[in-house]
């Protein structure tokens, strides 16, 4: 039978197929082949009842995320707050690069805008990212719940963002019966406590949504220096006028991207973050796998 993994818990994989949810275990050969089934995977399985099935094969994935461990994601909604925790351009750009690299459509949601009287920062964020072509929603938008629900049908959506930014709160507004746990900000640390315990695909508005653990650090473990510029859409558009085909937009002469930054057409903040990410990738330590 063919189905989709909707939940993974304690070594069991819960597969949705033809309106039924089957509890299965993975065959031992997955471990031998170093393959880990992920929530969102399309799979082949066998089962004579709803509780004693076996996962046999994972069909090809179009993408996957390591954290959260989800496969075949269509879009990622980045929940980023203006305050408590404070907004970070760098963190938002890290999420955007991660999603772009995995061919996942990013959507930016600004939370806690009602707690900030001055709208300058909100307007700056929307001005920068809408110009690039990203969808940007905020709490001050009318009918934001309906706007989000219009994005869900026939798509697998991942909610992500810094801990305490309000992911579970937003999901509870969209579907109150979920009653997901929400955590308060830790005053001493300035960040939220982890409140989401496992990844599960939730059927919402004719689509599937994964509520995921919050986290404030993203490392570019698998992106190469030549690939990083391609994850900035505005760089990619401007680079057709660069002198060199594989321009890194750092020291090369006649770099169109640097010219656009100087003219204010590309955000200086985005360019500064790009340089930092590029430096991190250049200086990252190689990962050596232990021999068995």
């Amino acid at each position: 039978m063919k189905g989709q993994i909707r939940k993974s818990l304690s070594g069991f994989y819960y597969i949705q197929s033809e309106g039924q949810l089957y509890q299965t275990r993975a065959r031992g050969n997955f471990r031998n082949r170093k393959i880990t089934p992920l929530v969102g995977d399309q799979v082949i399985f066998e089962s004579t009842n709803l509780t004693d099935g076996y996962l046999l094969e994972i069909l090809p994935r179009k993408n996957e995320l390591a954290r959260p461990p989800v496969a075949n994601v269509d879009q990622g909604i980045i929940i980023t707050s203006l305050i408590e925790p404070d907004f970070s351009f760098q963190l938002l750009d890290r999420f955007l690069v991660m999603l772009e690299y995995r061919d996942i459509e990013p959507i930016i949601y600004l939370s806690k805008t009602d707690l900030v009287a001055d709208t300058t920062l909100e307007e700056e964020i929307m001005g920068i990212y809408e110009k690039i072509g990203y969808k940007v929603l905020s709490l001050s938008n009318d009918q934001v719940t309906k706007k989000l629900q219009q994005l869900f049908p026939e798509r697998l959506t991942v909610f992500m963002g810094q801990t305490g930014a309000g992911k579970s709160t937003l999901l509870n507004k969209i579907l109150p019966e979920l009653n997901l746990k929400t955590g308060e900000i830790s005053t001493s640390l300035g960040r939220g406590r982890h409140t989401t315990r496992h990844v599960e695909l939730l059927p919402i508005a004719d689509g599937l949504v994964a509520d995921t653990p919050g986290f404030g650090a993203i490392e570019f473990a698998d992106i190469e220096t030549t690939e990083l510029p391609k994850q900035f859409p505005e760089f990619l558009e401007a680079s057709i006028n660069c002198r060199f085909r594989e321009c890194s937009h750092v020291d090369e002469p006649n770099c169109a991207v640097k010219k656009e930054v100087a003219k204010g057409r590309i955000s200086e903040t985005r360019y500064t973050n790009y340089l930092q990410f590029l430096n991190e990738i250049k200086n990252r330590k190689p990962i050596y796998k232990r021999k068995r």
Side-chain angles (χ1 to χ4, degrees):
M1 293 189 290
K2 182 179 178 181
Q4 181 187 44
I5 299 178
R6 293 289 179 89
K7 181 170 72 170
S8 172
L9 186 64
S10 302
F12 289 99
Y13 299 97
Y14 296 85
I15 300 173
Q16 185 79 18
S17 177
E18 298 181 354
Q20 297 284 350
L21 191 66
Y22 295 84
Q23 177 179 283
T24 70
R25 287 186 179 275
R27 292 290 193 189
N29 63 348
F30 284 105
R31 190 180 299 108
N32 298 334
R33 291 153 56 196
K34 298 181 179 179
I35 297 174
T36 302
L38 298 177
V39 168
D41 272 329
Q42 297 290 338
V43 299
I44 303 296
F45 71 104
E46 63 179 11
S47 182
T48 56
N49 56 61
L50 296 179
T51 58
D52 295 306
Y54 284 95
L55 176 55
L56 304 176
E57 180 184 352
I58 298 173
L59 300 178
R61 297 167 178 161
K62 68 177 182 180
N63 58 43
E64 64 181 90
L65 293 173
R67 184 173 184 184
V70 180
N72 301 315
V73 180
D74 296 304
Q75 58 190 6
I77 298 180
I78 307 167
I79 314 298
T80 180
S81 65
L82 295 188
I83 192 171
E84 298 181 3
D86 291 339
F87 177 80
S88 167
F89 279 103
Q90 185 194 109
L91 183 57
L92 175 56
D93 284 340
R94 284 181 184 273
F95 277 110
L96 290 171
V97 167
M98 179 184 70
L99 292 176
E100 290 281 2
Y101 183 67
R102 287 163 177 78
D103 196 25
I104 298 171
E105 181 184 354
I107 297 167
I108 301 167
Y109 179 85
L110 303 179
S111 66
K112 305 184 183 180
T113 55
D114 56 329
L115 301 180
V116 182
D118 188 349
T119 61
T120 303
L121 176 59
E122 180 182 355
E123 291 170 359
E124 180 185 3
I125 296 167
M126 298 187 79
I128 290 173
Y129 293 97
E130 286 184 335
K131 181 181 178 181
I132 297 169
Y134 291 123
K135 292 188 183 81
V136 185
L137 304 173
S138 78
L139 192 64
S140 59
N141 293 150
D142 293 334
Q143 298 181 320
V144 68
T145 299
K146 290 184 178 179
K147 288 185 179 181
L148 284 175
Q149 288 179 336
Q150 290 170 2
L151 302 174
F152 292 159
E154 305 300 323
R155 310 201 83 190
L156 197 165
T157 303
V158 167
F159 276 58
M160 53 180 54
Q162 190 174 6
T163 304
K167 295 181 301 301
S168 294
T169 299
L170 181 57
L171 270 174
N172 282 336
K173 286 184 178 180
I174 296 169
L175 200 65
E177 54 266 35
L178 289 175
N179 196 27
L180 296 171
K181 293 181 179 179
T182 58
E184 296 178 351
I185 295 295
S186 169
T187 304
S188 59
L189 297 177
R191 60 178 183 268
R193 301 182 182 92
H194 292 271
T195 56
T196 310
R197 298 302 179 187
H198 71 278
V199 179
E200 179 178 358
L201 298 185
L202 309 169
I204 300 177
D206 298 321
L208 296 170
V209 176
D211 184 33
T212 61
F215 51 98
I218 300 173
E219 297 178 355
F220 305 124
D222 53 353
I223 301 179
E224 300 300 331
T225 55
T226 54
E227 297 171 326
L228 182 64
K230 301 171 186 175
Q231 314 316 317
F232 288 74
E234 70 274 41
F235 290 17
L236 200 58
E237 182 179 353
S239 65
I240 60 174
N241 295 314
C242 285
R243 179 176 176 181
F244 298 100
R245 187 174 183 180
E246 290 294 331
C247 185
S248 67
H249 317 310
V250 180
D251 298 318
E252 297 90 342
N254 297 324
C255 171
V257 169
K258 289 193 293 183
K259 289 180 181 178
E260 293 294 287
V261 174
K263 293 176 182 177
R265 294 173 183 167
I266 287 180
S267 163
E268 188 172 347
T269 302
R270 289 268 290 171
Y271 182 69
T272 300
N273 289 339
Y274 162 75
L275 293 179
Q276 179 172 332
F277 300 162
L278 188 66
N279 189 58
E280 288 179 17
I281 293 172
K282 287 179 178 178
N283 295 307
R284 72 184 172 203
K285 296 179 180 179
I287 300 174
Y288 299 101
K289 293 185 178 180
R290 184 180 298 175
K291 294 183 179 180
R292 292 181 179 271

